[in-house]
Amino acid sequence: MTSPARRRCAPTRPPCGKNDSTADQAIGERLEQFESFITNVKSLRYDVERQFQHENEVLQQHVLHLDMTDGSHQEIHALLYF
């Protein structure tokens, strides 16, 4: 059975770029990572550290706070451009 996230992505979409210094991935590969990720995360929240806006562009830096199902906690620093 195909996940709802996978059904929303056309197979001809360009690869996903990210800021973790690894190579671009196909949409399907990236969604598989997210599917395995969500099974291990109990809760997630984020704090916006900075946000810059210019016309139709936004650059946002934030920190994800993850509570994992094994009781551990993690922080992930992320940068989004849209």
Side-chain angles (χ1 to χ4, degrees):
M1 184 172 179
T2 305
S3 73
R6 191 179 299 270
R7 284 192 302 268
R8 298 183 100 183
C9 298
T12 58
R13 293 272 225 200
C16 294
K18 50 203 176 307
N19 65 342
D20 64 1
S21 73
T22 59
D24 287 349
Q25 289 180 299
I27 293 287
E29 293 171 357
R30 192 65 175 161
L31 289 175
E32 286 176 13
Q33 281 186 315
F34 283 126
E35 288 168 355
S36 65
F37 170 78
I38 61 172
T39 61
N40 297 315
V41 176
K42 182 177 177 183
S43 69
L44 177 143
R45 70 178 179 83
Y46 68 95
D47 296 323
V48 175
E49 298 290 318
R50 293 179 187 87
Q51 187 179 74
F52 303 97
Q53 297 179 3
H54 179 69
E55 295 178 4
N56 294 327
E57 300 174 311
V58 176
L59 180 67
Q60 179 174 295
Q61 181 181 5
H62 59 265
V63 180
L64 298 169
H65 302 276
L66 307 170
D67 293 326
M68 310 304 284
T69 55
D70 66 1
S72 64
H73 306 282
Q74 296 183 21
E75 287 188 353
I76 300 172
H77 296 263
L79 182 67
L80 297 175
Y81 172 78
F82 50 96

